[in-house]
Amino acid sequence: MTTPVMRLYPAEYRTRHGHEIAEVYRQAVDGAGRLARSREATDLAAHALRIRLRLSSDRRAGRLFAAAAPFVVAVLAAHAGLELFKLAAFLLDTRDDGLYLGAADAVFAGLWVALLAAAGGALGGRWPVGRWCLAALLTVGALLAATVGRGGVLGAPGALVVFAVLSAAILVGCPPDMAPDWRVRRMASGAAVAIWAPLAVLCVMWRTLFADHIGIALPLLAESNMWPCLILAVSACAFARGGGSARLALAAMVTAALPVVAHDAAITGYHPAQAAVPAISFLLTAAFLFARTAPNRAPAQRS
């Protein structure tokens, strides 16, 4: 058992469980190769950080991240799909000038494809592997954006860094013993499609039919957090309807919306119209959820 990994645990937790942790680690890596040892050490370090940050499954923060993580994956899938769609549209727009795909465009296209595949795996039932693959790909994407100075198709690198770091933090913070069940994964898959499809249609409309008439209105909507936050607000209602806590549902969707809001703010800056739509959406959702779950108080009958 390596001392640096053990030191990641809080001193009190290490005193109470250090021997047990060391024994479990020893049994896991006994006779294993270098790759398996590295994977076990990484899992142990992540567990230590979750304990230190109070993100275990018996803590409110851990349950919050566990509820938000599938919908973060949904947002990532929709974002990757939209980036690929915009790249295809860009190539079609420039086809008369010859097919042009720069090195950075090719790298980011590969990143979006990998993100989409990992998100599909996570929501399709391979949650542990998909979650860690997404966290690794997001880290690579943030490093690429910071190094190359690009954030996708005409995207801002700072926006992608913020989006990737926040999304990865939520996915890593999700306790491994709280994998979403098939109902939640199905809701998240539906949310991903509901976010992606209308924005993809808007991109087509802007680039083909209405480019000369509506100026930047449609691309601004496609780049903003308005539609994803509306879908997440609806997802909060579906989550609560499925038997989840109303408070947890609302808090989880607000948490899942944070990377989207931060990404948009880094690209365009916040202005009242963009800030108002997500805020009103979640306020109305809160009002609906808590009105629905509030106990019915019958008027006291007079004797």
Side-chain angles (χ1 to χ4, degrees), residues 62-269:
R63 293 193 293 270
L64 172 63
F65 275 37
F71 295 92
V72 170
V73 175
V75 171
L76 288 171
H79 182 83
L82 189 61
E83 285 290 338
L84 288 171
F85 200 87
K86 288 190 292 185
L87 178 60
F90 173 74
L91 293 176
L92 287 174
D93 284 348
T94 58
R95 65 185 183 276
D96 294 336
D97 301 326
L99 184 63
Y100 175 76
L101 187 66
D105 295 320
V107 169
F108 277 107
L111 178 66
W112 303 134
V113 170
L115 273 171
L116 200 57
L123 296 179
R126 301 284 184 175
W127 177 254
V129 175
R131 179 172 68 98
W132 282 110
C133 286
L134 282 170
L137 289 168
L138 289 169
T139 303
V140 171
L143 291 174
L144 280 173
T147 304
V148 179
R150 292 282 299 276
V153 182
L154 305 179
L160 180 58
V161 170
V162 172
F163 179 74
V165 169
L166 287 177
S167 299
I170 295 172
L171 292 175
V172 172
C174 174
D177 57 339
M178 294 191 70
D181 61 23
W182 67 272
R183 294 180 183 85
V184 175
R185 295 199 308 270
R186 186 174 62 181
M187 279 190 284
S189 300
V193 174
I195 292 171
W196 174 82
L199 296 185
V201 171
L202 286 178
C203 286
V204 172
M205 292 172 63
W206 174 58
R207 288 184 176 275
T208 55
L209 302 178
F210 305 117
D212 296 332
H213 303 287
I214 60 176
I216 65 169
L218 286 178
L220 179 61
L221 178 60
E223 292 288 355
S224 75
N225 56 54
M226 297 179 186
W227 184 250
C229 286
L230 283 170
I231 297 300
L232 290 174
V234 173
S235 298
C237 299
F239 189 93
R241 185 182 179 87
S245 163
R247 287 185 176 86
L248 179 60
L250 183 62
M253 299 312 158
V254 171
T255 302
L258 288 178
V260 184
V261 174
H263 177 267
D264 180 53
I267 289 181
T268 61

